Amino acid sequence: MCGIFAYINYLVERDREFVLATLINGLKMLEYRGYDSAGLCVDGDGADVLVFKEVGNVNALKDKIEAQTFDRKHVFPSHCGMAHTRWATHGIPAERNSHPHRSDSANEFLVVHNGIITNSKELRELLEKFGYVFESDTDTECVAKLAKYLYDQQLKTSGKKPLSFTSLVKLVCKQLEGAFALIFKSTHYPNEMVAARRGSPLLIGVRTAKKLKVDFVDVDNDVEFPEDGQALSADKPAVRRARSRSFMGSDDSVEPIEYILASDASAIIEHTKKVMYLEDDDVAHIADGDLHIHRLRRDDTLSSMRTVQTLEQELAQIKMGSYSHFMQKEIFEQPESVVNTMRGRINFDDGRVLLGGLKSQLANIRRSRRIIFSACGTSYHSCVATKSLFAELTELPINVELSSAFLDEQLPVFRDDVCIFVSQSGETKDTLLALQYCKERGALCLGVTNTVGSTISRDTHCGVHINAGPELSVASTKAYTSQFIALTLIALQLSDDNYAKANRRREIIKGLQSLSSNIKKVLSLDGEIKDLAVKHKDITNLILLGRGYHSATCLEGALKIKEVSYIHAEGILAGELKHGPLALIDKDMPIILMMNKDKHYVDVENAYAQVTARSGNPILICNDDDNSQVIAASQKIRVPGTVDALQGIVNIIALQVFSYHIAVARGINPDTPRNLAKSVTTA
């Protein structure tokens, strides 16, 4: 959803043009998250702040800045600038609703925010009673105005002794309900920046010329204000910490240093690989080259330090290269990404699967009485795709639940349940809420994510990283196939002590070994599939039919098509045709039918007969060695055959390519479909 980016330099001389370019480029790296407007702020020539906002894409903001007159060559030895891409939740896409939001016309406090403040209405009404005039429809503006109100109140009650910036932000955050990643900038605290996180991702990159002395930062648990939330009294001593040991020079002096704050590592990787992930209720204060981590609450069991980690991804992974769109690039990366998911985890010689992330909890998982999957969107479909395999191999009851409905239904969860949470970003708000719900009830929680250091990977008891690599297109492609494989590997490992399943496991492992080459064969059909997509670019509806393992393929294929081409597509179980959907079938209804050689082949032939009897003309996705009369007489996409449990991966590649080309043929950018965001961090 919304993207946050901030840049702070200390004792590193940068001119305003460099700072603006850094902020703009940072926003461009966050475009994949989805947005409708953008804005940024940098220091002026005096105590003022320059704020720029624009509706539309980041390039529109860049053009607006370039059209204005100001000193671009002004050099700052120290400077704090921040930027934001907004995905509308409260208020329409408009310049007044874009971030940064300000406390007043003098820009005393500026805030960028990712998340939702659920008590913003109450805070707004309270502040309006104190005379504050709101300029936007957003939930964020109340945060900036609340900061000014608390700052002014402190000055009145303490004899003009102001709070520290950190203490002020703590006071503000104590009044907020909901989810947020916030960055504050203020004219009262020049060259200082404070970031706070609760429920929305935020990380800090560190760039120095010299090697960091240690790879962690201590957490300051001292609280600088009373528990009742009132401002400090004038005679209350303030707490002062020593400098963070990570960033001290050999003589205990601070070295020249740059900090980059962002919602996602993709915006940081071009600057540095050294990053620190903030935990919920962390407050990070950056000033004079020092970084201090504080806590909003003292009564927690989190670590007393935050580790500086090294990003594994490379800059080339988040560049488009020779491809026209990121979606196309990520589709064609799948022969390699599926191998990366399996690498080091499966021995094709002896058929052994070893997932190191599950090792500590493997015995407990095997003793469980039920497995519950919880996910949203594409991740949910990967769970549906592997549900039957889990039931077959583990012989346990399997539930697959939408995270968005998990809490609504108050599903019963017990201590002997294993709950598996699947999310590409590891930050999906609905899935995080389901995770919290299950942890509170004592279930063993397992995470499957694509993002090292994400909230789900940190908050679960164990888990598996899918290692698909960065995925920047909003429509997920390679993450789906890697999730599919990772879940298949979990099922294989859980059943490796069941001799009765040995032959079935060998069959699936053999299919995994040839999966990459099968995907390459499907991708070689790109031109053929493109012609088919162009032929159907003007359709307004589409039905996808399948049975068994392909029910999930139909759901995911329909989601891809509707996401990127805005065509109403619906995945329907072929066995349900007679129970209602058959009424939709006529000569004008486009249909795609999964017709692979598996145990449901005869049933799918019956579905084909029902469709063609109503003048339907389905496109068949079939095996490349199927030469039956039905296949010969139909439009078709021939794909390699593999074991039934993995055929869905091969088929979905064809549907991904089809959805990409039909979107491009309709003149739509498939990387940034309207109204959608890559990482859904609000419930």
Side-chain angles (χ1 to χ4, degrees), residues 198-488:
R198 180 188 295 158
S200 294
L202 192 61
L203 60 157
I204 302 173
V206 183
R207 182 165 70 180
T208 57
K210 296 182 179 180
K211 185 178 180 181
L212 300 180
K213 191 173 182 181
V214 292
D215 59 354
F216 62 89
V217 174
D218 296 315
V219 176
D220 180 1
N221 283 307
D222 291 318
V223 178
E224 303 182 52
F225 50 85
E227 289 301 319
D228 61 4
Q230 299 300 311
L232 284 170
S233 60
D235 58 350
K236 182 174 178 61
V239 176
R240 177 62 180 167
R241 277 189 69 232
R243 287 177 175 143
S244 304
R245 284 176 283 177
S246 300
F247 311 124
M248 291 170 61
S250 57
D251 57 351
D252 289 353
S253 62
V254 178
E255 298 288 340
I257 192 167
E258 295 165 283
Y259 294 96
I260 303 95
L261 286 72
S263 302
D264 192 279
S266 61
I268 294 179
I269 187 65
E270 67 176 307
H271 302 283
T272 179
K273 289 190 174 184
K274 298 295 183 183
V275 300
M276 179 189 315
Y277 293 87
L278 295 184
E279 301 282 358
D280 274 353
D281 290 320
D282 275 355
V283 177
H285 177 225
I286 300 173
D288 298 329
D290 280 342
L291 167 64
H292 300 296
I293 306 293
H294 304 263
R295 294 289 295 162
L296 288 173
R297 297 183 295 114
R298 300 180 69 180
D299 55 340
D300 58 45
T301 57
L302 286 178
S303 169
S304 60
M305 65 180 66
R306 298 291 175 266
T307 304
V308 177
Q309 303 180 29
T310 301
L311 293 174
E312 297 297 330
Q313 69 191 57
E314 299 294 335
L315 182 60
Q317 293 179 286
I318 56 174
K319 297 293 185 182
M320 199 179 297
S322 60
Y323 294 95
S324 301
H325 298 91
F326 279 112
M327 182 179 181
Q328 183 187 33
K329 175 177 182 279
E330 287 153 12
I331 289 172
F332 277 81
E333 284 177 340
Q334 288 175 104
E336 292 76 38
S337 64
V338 297
V339 172
N340 290 337
T341 303
M342 293 184 281
R343 180 172 285 118
R345 295 169 166 174
I346 183 167
N347 187 321
F348 292 112
D349 295 328
D350 61 13
R352 290 181 61 83
V353 174
L354 179 61
L355 298 170
L358 302 186
K359 189 174 181 180
S360 63
Q361 298 289 346
L362 197 56
N364 293 329
I365 297 172
R366 285 174 172 153
R367 285 196 295 267
S368 65
R369 296 179 60 184
R370 177 177 60 163
I371 295 176
I372 302 173
F373 290 93
S374 178
C376 298
T378 287
S379 299
Y380 172 78
H381 295 155
S382 70
C383 300
V384 175
T386 53
K387 176 184 177 181
S388 297
L389 183 64
F390 265 87
E392 177 187 354
L393 294 182
T394 67
E395 298 179 336
L396 289 172
I398 309 294
N399 286 23
V400 178
E401 306 291 344
L402 281 166
S403 298
S404 56
F406 210 107
L407 270 64
D408 294 345
E409 299 173 5
Q410 293 289 299
L411 295 171
V413 175
F414 305 103
R415 292 178 63 85
D416 51 4
D417 288 333
V418 169
C419 299
I420 301 178
F421 301 91
V422 186
S423 167
Q424 188 279 139
S425 67
E427 304 289 350
T428 307
K429 187 61 178 179
D430 288 319
T431 307
L432 287 172
L433 291 173
L435 168 58
Q436 182 181 2
Y437 176 89
C438 295
K439 283 185 74 174
E440 289 172 352
R441 282 151 183 79
L444 195 159
C445 297
L446 188 157
V448 178
T449 80
N450 192 34
T451 310
V452 175
S454 64
T455 304
I456 286 180
S457 66
R458 297 197 308 271
D459 287 358
T460 45
H461 299 109
C462 59
V464 176
H465 287 292
I466 64 174
N467 298 331
E471 189 178 64
L472 301 186
S473 176
V474 168
S476 180
T477 51
K478 65 178 181 177
Y480 174 77
T481 52
S482 287
Q483 287 171 345
F484 196 134
I485 292 169
L487 292 174
T488 299

Side-chain angles (χ1 to χ4, degrees), residues 562-676:
K562 70 180 73 167
E563 274 182 319
V564 301
S565 67
Y566 315 150
I567 293 168
H568 174 240
E570 186 175 357
I572 299 175
L573 275 66
E576 290 295 300
L577 265 178
K578 299 183 292 296
H579 302 288
L582 200 57
L584 296 171
I585 306 301
D586 59 23
K587 63 182 178 61
D588 298 317
M589 176 59 74
I591 301 164
I592 296 177
L593 179 63
M594 310 293 141
M595 200 168 180
N596 300 96
K597 287 184 175 180
D598 57 24
K599 63 183 179 182
H600 298 293
Y601 187 77
V602 174
D603 296 321
V604 176
E605 278 188 317
N606 291 335
Y608 175 86
Q610 293 173 37
V611 168
T612 53
R614 275 80 180 176
S615 302
N617 183 26
I619 301 169
L620 304 183
I621 295 183
C622 59
N623 288 17
D624 53 10
D625 60 352
D626 190 341
N627 297 311
S628 67
Q629 186 176 354
V630 167
I631 301 297
S634 304
Q635 302 179 85
K636 52 192 167 289
I637 300 173
R638 291 186 177 273
V639 299
T642 186
V643 60
D644 56 357
L646 300 176
Q647 187 68 53
I649 295 178
V650 177
N651 285 12
I652 199 62
I653 303 296
L655 291 174
Q656 289 172 355
V657 175
F658 180 84
S659 63
Y660 168 75
H661 284 302
I662 203 168
V664 173
R666 290 166 68 92
I668 298 168
N669 182 348
D671 288 341
T672 55
R674 67 188 182 198
N675 305 331
L676 298 180

Side-chain angles (χ1 to χ4, degrees), residues 140-189:
T140 305
E141 190 180 359
C142 68
V143 179
K145 286 180 163 51
L146 179 61
K148 176 170 171 53
Y149 169 74
L150 292 173
Y151 179 85
D152 290 345
Q153 287 298 110
Q154 171 64 11
L155 287 182
K156 291 178 182 178
T157 59
S158 64
K160 297 188 177 181
K161 180 181 179 181
L163 285 166
S164 70
F165 205 0
T166 304
S167 298
L168 179 63
V169 171
K170 285 183 178 181
L171 280 173
V172 171
C173 292
K174 286 195 69 171
Q175 310 305 319
L176 304 181
E177 297 174 5
F180 55 78
L182 293 163
I183 299 181
F184 293 79
K185 176 179 172 66
S186 173
T187 56
H188 297 295
Y189 306 94

Side-chain angles (χ1 to χ4, degrees), residues 510-530:
K510 183 179 178 180
L512 288 171
Q513 189 171 16
S514 60
L515 188 57
S516 179
S517 62
N518 284 338
I519 292 175
K520 289 179 182 178
K521 291 177 183 176
V522 179
L523 293 175
S524 70
L525 304 174
D526 181 64
E528 176 185 331
I529 298 174
K530 179 181 179 180

